[in-house]
Amino acid sequence: MPPTSRRVLIVGGGGREHALAWKLAKDGAEVLVAPGNAGTAGIAENVPLSATDVAGLVRLASERKVDLTVVGPEAPLVAGLVDAFAAAGLRVFGPTSRAAQLEGSKLFCKQILHRGDVPTAMFQEFRSVAAAREFLEAREDVPVVVKADGLAAGKGVFVCDDRAAAIEAVATLGSDPQFAAAAKGILIEERLDGVEVSVMAITDGRTIITLPPLQDHKAAYDGDQGPNTGGMGAYCPTPFVDAELLADIEARILVPTVHAMRRAKVPFQGVLYAGLMLTAQGPKVLEFNARFGDPECEALLVRLESSLLELLDAAADRRLETVEPPVWRDGASVTVIMASEGYPGPVEKGRLIRGLDAAAAVEGVEVFHAATRLDGGDVLSDGGRTLAVTAVGGSLAKAKLQAYTAVKQIRWQGAWCRKDISDKAMAHELGVAEAAAEASGE
Ligand code: AMP
Ligand code: GLY
């Protein structure tokens, strides 16, 4: 048998990394987190290295004899952390820099989708603002989505109702310095309508293990109003993807993508995350990420009963076909993000957070820290998405109740959250039940 990891290093410092540390510690690993947060400090050893300090992380993993490194965020993947670890003979879970271009370059992603014949929005590619503008002016006035090619912290996507808005978005990409690198290529995409869901799979480049489907809540405010964020909450599983649709997504989207990557000589090992739109023509890819979603990871891992360590080990060793399928807890989970005042814009940091113990005492609840730091014995807020309050329950309604019961225990100046995480699922289930009752003549 290949060695099972004992000492694991998790790279990152958000809610996803706290959930990974929590689960891997439960699986029996000794966990280091770089840089971690106040939450990971309680269950693991925090090491004060930035997630993108590739040379420092290689040194740390060598010196501390780390058996497996798990990379949370996209920036270190794109920066080549996995390549550097592999070159140093260190085991690591995550895609190489080239494979992470599936997330890092929307144009590369489209090329792979085309190769794999995977359904996605139609698009045109432009190398200058002027060319993109000319195209929009010459074309019918229809809703489109304007995207910068490269990584832009989720901000380089503009969903536009009409031509005027699209022209403005292109102008913003051309003039705003924060998009200077990302906007060297511009995509103009057909705007898709439907329900958005997240489906992730763990893959070693050949074999894939598809994970239960989730739904994120990207808009800042209730009812999907307000600016786009990194995600204000998630729940698992989502009833919008039943077993049949999940099998279809695996067969028509995930497997062909993994194969297309291998054929392109860019094998993908790690988490393949598909952001999907369920359209009238079936599921279509909006984007791929090369890592666990956040907050999806938190809602997912509280339902995983079997070992995550075993899965990640097997993927890193390219022997995923040898592991048993994961076992999931019955029922559902809900993650509610508690954010600081100002998010998704600039936020005040350093506010004292109270009530964490009372929240953690609520049945079925885990409070994952997303942006916190310790100050003596105090936990202080340290960013926008601050906590990921997560609950499991026998049903979605129960999980939601437990999560919000815990949220009510937590206080800091300026704290806020969405109140409607998972409501879309409940409305959907109600609709399905009503339709069934009608069909049976009740
Ligand atoms: P992306 O970073 O490409 O996932 O885009 C961010 C968000 O923009 C997605 O989560 C969707 O809500 C929205 N979006 C992206 N592409 C499209 C599209 N072609 N049609 C409609 N909405 C889109
Ligand atoms: N929750 C969306 C993401 O992680 O990109």
Side-chain angles (χ1 to χ4, degrees), residues 149-208:
D149 176 33
L151 282 185
K155 291 184 192 145
V157 175
F158 301 82
V159 180
C160 304
D161 287 329
D162 54 27
R163 177 191 287 149
I167 288 176
E168 200 183 311
V170 166
T172 304
L173 286 183
S175 60
D176 190 330
Q178 69 170 319
F179 299 122
K184 288 201 178 109
I186 295 174
L187 279 75
I188 298 180
E189 228 178 70
E190 154 200 30
R191 190 170 115 188
L192 301 175
D193 282 323
V195 173
E196 228 179 301
V197 296
S198 311
V199 177
M200 295 184 277
I202 291 176
T203 177
D204 61 3
R206 271 183 312 142
T207 303
I208 83 164

Side-chain angles (χ1 to χ4, degrees), residues 16 216 218 230-231 273 287 289 291-296 385:
R16 166 182 48 210
D216 188 10
K218 290 219 169 116
Y273 166 132
E287 64 162 345
N289 292 325
R291 50 171 175 85
F292 283 111
D294 192 350
E296 287 94 332
R385 293 193 296 169

